[in-house]
Amino acid sequence: MKSNEHPGPLARITHLKPRAFYFSFYSLILLLFCSCEQDNVRVFSIGDSTMSNYNLEEMDEHYGGSNFPRRGWAMALSAFLDDKAEVVNRAVSGRSSKNFIVQGHWDKVINDIQEGDFLIIQFGHNDQNADDPKRYTEAYGEYKENLLRFVKEAEALGARPLIATPIARRRFDAEGKTMDTHGDYATASIEAAKESGVPLIDLNKMTIDYLSELGDEDSKALFLHIEPGVFENLTEGLKDNTHLSKKGACAVAAMFVEGVENSDSPLKKYHLENKPDCNLKIK
């Protein structure tokens, strides 16, 4: 009497002819191995001074002291990813989506990026500067077009882009409410991600919400608020509500990874379960 039960895949394989058996067996082993093995990847980042690398020794010499705290948030990103993900930070201070292209920085990225790499795109701060025609772009014009160009050209090489909205500046109104200083540029970033079908990490909203939670006084720790006399060449101190401190860079990197975890980006496979404490020193 024949059984009505369907044999499992291994049982079916063992009844194949020898040549077909070995081919199917090794194919199964290879499939299992590939599903468990995680490839090494590179995570490129392009953007402005809120994201870029800084030479710590040069900053110390310039400001006259040691351990000047300015950091771009991509400097802290590797602390949140496992050792199979290498962060390649190509963000450059003072750049908009426009002069990042004009000055050849984008060409260098395109020459280096490869299939399977990730690309994080975050501009907006300098694109807003209407007084500087070399950097200024219209939000729903050249700015959005540049973001779409970055995505299209990276995807043509097999890379996997993500668009992040620009992080918030620290600005509160008279009632202590956090103000959105990016407006149309954040919205244009969202539209570009939607139109191109790539993951969006809404850092503008996340940082605004976090600043609101911290409040006017406590949020100073995320930016460059330095008392007079701490650094020899900053006799009057510093109140910079755009650029991040070490704690701020760590906090934004943590927000970015949280956004990735809630997205459909394969980059989420490389995040650490046990994330660093943002009070730790990030170099």
Side-chain angles (χ1 to χ4, degrees):
M1 183 176 179
K2 293 183 179 181
S3 172
N4 290 327
E5 295 182 359
H6 295 286
L10 187 58
R12 291 198 296 271
I13 289 175
T14 57
H15 283 84
L16 294 173
K17 293 181 179 180
R19 184 175 179 180
F21 166 76
Y22 286 115
F23 177 79
S24 299
F25 179 75
Y26 286 115
S27 295
L28 178 61
I29 295 298
L30 182 61
L31 178 63
L32 292 173
F33 177 77
C34 290
S35 65
C36 297
E37 185 67 16
Q38 188 169 284
D39 294 330
N40 290 332
V41 297
R42 294 183 299 171
V43 183
F44 284 77
S45 56
I46 62 173
D48 53 41
S49 56
T50 64
M51 193 187 211
S52 64
N53 285 330
Y54 292 96
N55 185 306
L56 306 187
E57 292 182 0
E58 288 182 0
M59 284 197 303
D60 289 351
E61 182 177 354
H62 177 75
Y63 290 104
S66 61
N67 201 22
F68 191 76
R70 180 167 169 171
R71 301 290 188 275
W73 69 261
M75 294 176 71
L77 182 57
S78 61
F80 292 85
L81 302 176
D82 66 28
D83 56 7
K84 290 185 177 294
E86 175 191 0
V87 176
V88 183
N89 190 4
R90 296 293 179 84
V92 185
S93 296
R95 274 40 177 201
S96 68
S97 66
K98 180 178 182 176
N99 65 352
F100 191 84
I101 295 171
V102 171
Q103 295 175 358
H105 300 292
W106 176 238
D107 285 339
K108 292 177 182 178
V109 173
I110 285 298
N111 288 336
D112 291 343
I113 203 166
Q114 298 176 0
E115 183 176 358
D117 290 339
F118 293 93
L119 174 68
I120 306 166
I121 304 163
Q122 184 223 253
F123 287 95
H125 282 81
N126 297 307
D127 288 82
Q128 290 181 302
N129 192 347
D131 295 328
D132 186 350
K134 293 183 178 180
R135 296 193 289 181
Y136 176 69
T137 61
E138 293 185 2
Y140 298 112
E142 189 176 6
Y143 175 70
K144 183 177 174 182
E145 291 167 4
N146 288 339
L147 299 187
L148 293 172
R149 173 182 172 176
F150 295 143
V151 169
K152 182 179 179 180
E153 294 184 4
E155 287 186 331
L157 296 172
R160 296 172 284 188
L162 306 89
I163 291 178
T165 54
I167 68 168
R169 297 181 180 90
R170 180 186 166 275
R171 190 168 298 173
F172 292 82
D173 62 20
E175 297 177 354
K177 183 178 178 181
T178 311
M179 300 171 63
D180 180 5
T181 62
H182 290 298
D184 290 343
Y185 290 86
T187 305
S189 300
I190 294 170
E191 290 185 3
K194 184 177 181 180
E195 290 178 19
S196 59
V198 302
L200 171 76
I201 312 299
D202 196 353
L203 287 180
N204 188 58
K205 182 180 186 305
M206 296 172 80
T207 49
I208 285 175
D209 290 346
Y210 189 48
L211 292 175
S212 297
E213 180 182 341
L214 291 176
D216 192 353
E217 186 62 32
D218 288 346
S219 62
K220 292 177 181 178
L222 303 183
F223 295 87
L224 298 179
H225 280 246
I226 299 172
E227 295 295 325
V230 176
F231 289 89
E232 183 178 350
N233 298 333
L234 288 175
T235 55
E236 296 182 1
L238 182 65
K239 294 181 180 179
D240 181 341
N241 293 310
T242 297
H243 298 102
L244 299 167
S245 66
K246 289 180 286 185
K247 186 173 182 179
C250 182
V252 173
M255 291 179 215
F256 175 80
V257 172
E258 179 184 347
V260 169
E261 291 171 340
N262 293 324
S263 76
D264 59 359
S265 172
L267 183 57
K268 69 172 65 176
K269 296 189 299 184
Y270 298 90
H271 75 119
L272 292 174
E273 293 292 343
N274 297 318
K275 297 177 177 59
D277 183 344
C278 282
N279 288 315
L280 296 177
K281 185 176 181 180
I282 302 295
K283 291 185 177 181

